[in-house]
Amino acid sequence: MNVRQYEIMFDAFEVCRQIVYENENDIKPEEMMQLATDILKDKNFEKSKEILLKVIEMYPENQLSGSAHFWLARIYQFEENFRKAAIIYG
């Protein structure tokens, strides 16, 4: 692992810790989306899906919820789960 990958892992851990153990409302959807896309670049699809689903759940009225849906569908495409991708795109 290089330094950048460790930084991304640390950031992911910190956001997940806040989501699970602290007040969820302290986490901005922009921070969560940035983290999800950073993790996606490292092909950690499961963790990225987890964060994207949390964005959708926590901020359904936020504009970024649409982006979260888009990236979630793209991950399912990467995983060749085209049925789930189509459902999310739909």
Side-chain angles (χ1 to χ4, degrees):
M1 255 189 213
N2 63 35
V3 173
R4 178 68 182 136
Q5 289 171 318
Y6 280 113
E7 289 173 348
I8 290 171
M9 285 179 54
F10 178 78
D11 289 345
F13 172 77
E14 183 60 26
V15 169
C16 291
R17 185 185 64 75
Q18 288 178 7
I19 291 169
V20 173
Y21 297 111
E22 296 179 6
N23 185 353
E24 292 179 348
N25 296 326
D26 290 344
I27 303 166
K28 296 177 184 160
E30 295 83 4
E31 294 170 335
M32 293 174 73
M33 285 299 296
Q34 183 63 54
L35 179 61
T37 55
D38 286 346
I39 292 171
L40 180 58
K41 290 175 190 172
D42 287 337
K43 298 185 188 300
N44 187 340
F45 297 143
E46 290 306 313
K47 184 53 71 177
S48 188
K49 284 192 294 190
E50 185 179 325
I51 295 169
L52 291 168
L53 286 168
K54 204 65 167 163
V55 170
I56 293 166
E57 175 188 324
M58 291 171 60
Y59 303 101
E61 301 300 320
N62 189 295
Q63 177 179 337
L64 289 174
S65 180
S67 294
H69 279 93
F70 170 81
W71 284 110
L72 188 58
R74 290 292 289 162
I75 291 170
Y76 285 124
Q77 281 184 295
F78 297 147
E79 295 175 333
E80 297 184 2
N81 189 337
F82 301 113
R83 183 176 184 282
K84 280 192 175 183
I87 289 168
I88 292 172
Y89 278 132

